[in-house]
Amino acid sequence: MLGLKQSDLASKAVITRSVLLGLEQPGRKLPDQLALSKLLEALLREGLVFVDATEAAGEGVRWAKPSGKVWVDCLRHARSMLGYTLDELSEKSGVGRYVIARLEKTERKRINEAAARRLRDVLFENGVVILAEEADVGAGVRLRL
């Protein structure tokens, strides 16, 4: 969500890139708690907050402060939560790969509202909710139960 390269995030967390790569591996044994806490601190410093799971919804992440981002700015992050490629989301939604890529760019000139709503619906059906920006907290994404 921050748009950082792995090497930049590792540097901000004061861990090596290889440690960060290890933390990202789904098949890892037990994560290094010190590295995890350093990573968490770095992400919080960079302006993210983590949303705890509740009985009604799963865990998630969002910007700590409102930034003027619209919900469409979270499409790429929602897709990433599901591990979908552009091609996979295109196949599931019927929205063209090129249209998805354009919607995910933050420098877009206009928003194809129908395509964006279709993508939001497909992401929701597959387990991810896009969180709109609120008065005191920024936009984000969370898992749906």
Side-chain angles (χ1 to χ4, degrees), residues 9-10 12-24 28 30-43:
L9 179 56
K12 288 179 183 293
V14 194
I15 59 176
T16 65
R17 184 173 177 270
S18 62
V19 168
L20 178 61
L21 290 171
L23 292 173
E24 292 179 345
R28 69 184 179 279
L30 289 174
D32 178 338
Q33 292 300 312
L34 178 60
L36 276 176
S37 67
K38 287 181 172 186
L39 182 59
L40 174 62
E41 289 170 14
L43 293 169

Side-chain angles (χ1 to χ4, degrees), residues 11 53 126:
S11 177
N126 286 277

Side-chain angles (χ1 to χ4, degrees), residues 80-92:
S80 293
M81 279 187 94
L82 293 172
Y84 289 172
T85 64
L86 285 171
D87 291 327
E88 288 169 331
L89 184 55
S90 176
E91 184 178 316
K92 290 180 181 298

Side-chain angles (χ1 to χ4, degrees), residues 72-133:
V72 175
D73 294 324
C74 294
L75 283 173
R76 180 172 53 91
H77 312 305
R79 178 173 61 84
S80 293
M81 279 187 94
L82 293 172
Y84 289 172
T85 64
L86 285 171
D87 291 327
E88 288 169 331
L89 184 55
S90 176
E91 184 178 316
K92 290 180 181 298
S93 66
V95 176
R97 181 184 199 281
Y98 177 74
V99 173
I100 297 170
R102 287 191 53 191
L103 283 169
E104 288 183 353
K105 288 187 179 186
T106 55
E107 303 88 34
R108 66 186 93 72
K109 292 181 181 173
R110 65 180 184 81
I111 296 174
N112 179 331
E113 293 288 339
R117 280 193 304 277
R118 176 69 187 135
L119 293 170
R120 182 185 60 198
D121 293 346
V122 166
L123 291 164
F124 179 81
E125 291 164 8
N126 286 277
V128 174
V129 177
I130 296 176
L131 304 170
E133 186 167 276

